[in-house]
Amino acid sequence: MPEKVINAKATCANIRRMFEEKGYKPEDIRKKLHLGTVQSVYKWYSTANGKGNSIPSMDHFILMAQLLGVTIDDLIITKNIEFEERD
């Protein structure tokens, strides 16, 4: 039976698009999400480009959703995968 999991690349691309549409730069996002450095934002953007597998934490998804005025479901893109049955 297929199960839904987060599609990291599509989710990060979606987040990047939403931030860019609102005019947010990586440094703006760092400040709004109370991140110590901007590296996390760049890692998410790198994942959006297919060069990594870093996604925001749940706390950051919550903050991003509030900042963008959307739901967490609007941010996250899922994909179906098949798990092997184990005894």
Side-chain angles (χ1 to χ4, degrees):
M1 168 190 288
E3 303 287 337
K4 290 194 178 288
V5 297
I6 294 174
N7 181 327
K9 181 179 178 181
T11 295
C12 288
N14 189 42
I15 291 167
R16 182 177 187 167
R17 179 188 55 76
M18 287 182 169
F19 276 128
E20 288 175 350
E21 285 175 356
K22 296 276 187 177
Y24 288 113
K25 304 285 185 225
E27 182 61 22
D28 302 327
I29 299 164
R30 181 199 70 78
K31 290 177 183 175
K32 298 280 188 188
L33 299 182
H34 310 286
L35 298 167
T37 67
V38 75
Q39 279 310 111
S40 292
V41 178
Y42 288 125
K43 284 181 181 180
W44 304 332
Y45 282 13
S46 181
T47 298
N49 293 329
K51 299 178 183 173
N53 198 26
S54 178
I55 62 171
S57 69
M58 273 317 288
D59 288 338
H60 290 127
F61 274 118
I62 292 167
L63 291 171
M64 284 188 278
Q66 292 171 0
L67 177 63
L68 293 166
V70 299
T71 68
I72 293 172
D73 286 341
D74 293 329
L75 296 174
I76 297 174
I77 307 297
T78 60
K79 64 182 176 182
N80 290 327
I81 63 169
E82 293 282 340
F83 286 104
E84 288 184 25
E85 292 292 325
R86 293 188 181 187
D87 294 327

